[in-house]
Amino acid sequence: MTAWTGDELDRIGTADELHIAPLRPDGTLRNPVTIWVVRHDDDLYVRSYRGPGGAWFRGAVARHAGHIQAGGVDKDVTFTEEADPTMNDQIDAAYRAKYHDYSHTYVDPMVTPEARSTTLKLTPRA
């Protein structure tokens, strides 16, 4: 398994937005969607604002692979679903801390049970 470099973690983790493009069944990339990303320790996580019905999320869990761009980093990634409630509590805190300057209108939906159910860990693909 490939790991993020410290520089990649810093650049992606501090970027306000991330462009995510899951793979289609034919192996091509879907059109990128702009979402939020958070860092927790040496890992990066994303969630679907729209919950499990979000199109990008459905594509990500169907193929478990795609491409991201953020903070000047362009990377092929794998998507792993995060189901650990303790980890999700920490990811909630990371969303609240990173995006505290945004209205609760945007942050609160990112920490609901529906959004938590869509937490994906991003891992670089070799």
Side-chain angles (χ1 to χ4, degrees):
M1 181 187 303
T2 305
W4 296 107
T5 67
D7 181 59
E8 289 170 333
L9 285 167
D10 289 343
R11 290 166 62 190
I12 297 169
T14 58
D16 277 344
E17 297 177 331
L18 175 136
H19 300 282
I20 190 167
L23 286 180
R24 293 184 177 110
D26 68 2
T28 62
L29 291 172
R30 294 177 179 270
N31 291 331
V33 174
T34 303
I35 62 171
W36 285 352
V37 59
V38 294
R39 176 181 177 178
H40 177 68
D41 294 332
D42 290 337
D43 295 312
L44 298 167
Y45 295 90
V46 295
R47 288 179 173 166
S48 173
Y49 180 86
R50 299 185 192 281
W56 76 261
F57 177 77
R58 290 190 320 267
V61 296
R63 302 288 299 164
H64 297 284
H67 188 84
I68 59 130
Q69 293 177 304
V73 177
D74 243 323
K75 206 72 154 174
D76 290 329
V77 296
T78 58
F79 306 114
T80 307
E81 295 172 73
E82 179 59 64
D84 179 356
T86 303
M87 182 59 70
N88 266 306
D89 290 343
Q90 295 170 356
I91 295 165
D92 285 352
Y95 270 102
R96 286 188 177 108
K98 181 175 180 180
Y99 296 106
H100 69 275
D101 287 338
Y102 289 81
S103 161
H104 288 286
T105 304
Y106 297 108
V107 178
D108 289 350
M110 296 303 292
V111 296
T112 64
E114 185 175 43
R116 285 170 61 116
S117 74
T118 68
T119 304
L120 297 175
K121 179 179 171 180
L122 306 177
T123 307
R125 267 191 296 145

